[in-house]
Amino acid sequence: MTDPIDFGKEIGGLIREAIAPVKRELEELRERAPEKGDPGRDADPEMVAEQVRTALEALPAPAAGKDADPVTDDQIALQVARHLEANPVSPGRDADQVDVEALADLVVAKLLDSDRLATLVDLATSAAVAKHFEDHPVRDGRDADPALVADMVKAAVDALPAPKDGRDAEPVTEDQLAAQVAKHLTANPPQDGADGVGLAGAMIDRAGELVITTTKGEAIRLGKVVGEDGRDGLSFETAAGDYDAERGFVITLGAGDRRKEFVLPYMVHRGFWREGLGVKAGESITHDGALWIAKRSNASKPCLENEQDWALGARKGRDGKDGKSVRVPAEPVPLGGSHA
């Protein structure tokens, strides 16, 4: 039986050989430069139509066609024989011996580098887990028996070895102390100390600083020990006290043209709080029935949340009971047995 693939190749070769001259002519026509001719003119549509009609009438009447003859096995065998005669098959050679170990290493390396290996591992793991649970189905557990647990704990405690009494450490002897001290002194031998420094003299210089001199001849300044003269005291000839609603009680002392004021602050009440009202430290505000004292100058709302600005001076009192109406008689009320 003819191999269809070889037969197809043979037919393809025959077709290529047949159309090779046509392809060459097409290539020559493409490479040939067009020759410049005379300017053309527009065709006459009526003349073109007449030429087409004349050409159609001159065509012979078409005859009925017939199907192509089927290709027989003998024809196929003949073509195959021609092909084999023109292209004899050369004898083959044995394949090279395959290194099975190297091939296996190559396959494993390819698998390790491939993303498909993770999928294969996941599938194998899932299948193994599913088979395990199929062979060993999960069963519901049951509550532990408290009595059984207590017995197990008691048995474990009873199995522990009995503790033994410890013993006091041996007292440290003087010989051991002496040995340790000698070892320390051997590792860290004492060194001679530096000569002591004595005081050779002391004086107060013009700037009022105390300066001492050591036996080494060094001068050490210990700072100022004599203070500067104070400013003249203020004597007053007049004294006056006034009340300033904004500042408090103001005491003014005077001597000649000199004046000195002393302000005794007091808590100034600024009334009821309103949005945007600014107060100074020490001033008070009434808000929501409570008295608030400003800790510092601010314009915030008096409340516990603003504890950095306000201190609660007095809380709002409880509401009093409703009063009772008293009916006053229209007639005079007698007092002491007589009419007022």
Side-chain angles (χ1 to χ4, degrees), residues 49 55 65 117 130 175 180 184 219 231 236 260 326 328:
L117 181 61
D175 294 337
Q180 291 296 328
H184 176 75
R231 292 184 298 176
F236 60 91
K260 180 65 176 179
V326 179
V328 179

Side-chain angles (χ1 to χ4, degrees), residues 99-334:
D99 188 351
V100 179
E101 295 294 334
L103 182 59
D105 293 341
L106 179 61
V107 172
V108 171
K110 289 291 185 181
L111 284 175
L112 291 177
D113 293 338
S114 175
D115 295 337
R116 301 175 182 175
L117 181 61
T119 304
L120 294 176
V121 173
D122 293 340
L123 293 175
T125 304
S126 301
V129 171
K131 188 174 187 311
H132 172 78
F133 282 113
E134 183 180 352
D135 297 339
H136 305 85
V138 179
R139 300 178 180 177
D140 295 336
R142 60 187 182 87
D143 296 336
D145 185 0
L148 179 60
V149 173
D151 293 341
M152 294 174 64
V153 172
K154 185 177 182 303
V157 172
D158 294 340
L160 294 175
K164 297 180 180 180
D165 295 335
R167 63 186 183 85
D168 297 335
E170 297 291 341
V172 179
T173 64
E174 294 181 358
D175 294 337
Q176 292 174 330
L177 290 174
Q180 291 296 328
V181 171
K183 185 184 296 184
H184 176 75
L185 293 177
T186 302
N188 305 277
Q191 298 177 359
D192 296 336
D195 296 336
V197 178
L199 179 63
M203 61 172 290
I204 298 176
D205 61 8
R206 294 181 178 180
E209 293 187 359
L210 176 62
V211 182
I212 62 173
T213 305
T214 65
T215 53
K216 291 185 176 181
E218 297 177 350
I220 302 175
R221 293 183 175 273
L222 298 181
K224 214 168 198 180
V225 295
V226 178
E228 297 178 356
D229 295 337
R231 292 184 298 176
D232 295 336
L234 174 64
S235 62
F236 60 91
E237 300 172 354
T238 61
D242 294 318
Y243 168 71
D244 188 335
E246 295 293 331
R247 297 189 294 169
F249 294 100
V250 181
I251 299 175
T252 305
L253 303 178
D257 295 335
R258 300 177 61 190
R259 293 289 185 273
K260 180 65 176 179
E261 289 185 348
F262 297 93
V263 179
L264 303 178
Y266 78 108
M267 186 173 62
V268 179
H269 187 260
R270 298 293 302 277
F272 292 93
W273 178 83
R274 60 186 179 276
E275 190 72 34
L277 176 63
V279 297
K280 297 179 180 179
E283 296 180 344
S284 62
I285 284 289
T286 299
H287 177 62
D288 197 18
L291 180 68
W292 298 86
I293 302 173
K295 295 181 179 180
R296 59 184 180 182
S297 299
N298 70 88
S300 63
K301 180 180 178 181
C303 59
L304 295 177
E305 286 75 9
N306 294 330
E307 61 178 1
Q308 300 296 330
D309 296 332
W310 295 98
L312 180 61
R315 293 183 180 276
K316 178 182 178 181
R318 293 181 295 179
D319 295 336
K321 297 181 180 179
D322 295 336
K324 296 182 179 180
S325 61
V326 179
R327 185 175 183 181
V328 179
E331 299 178 355
V333 179

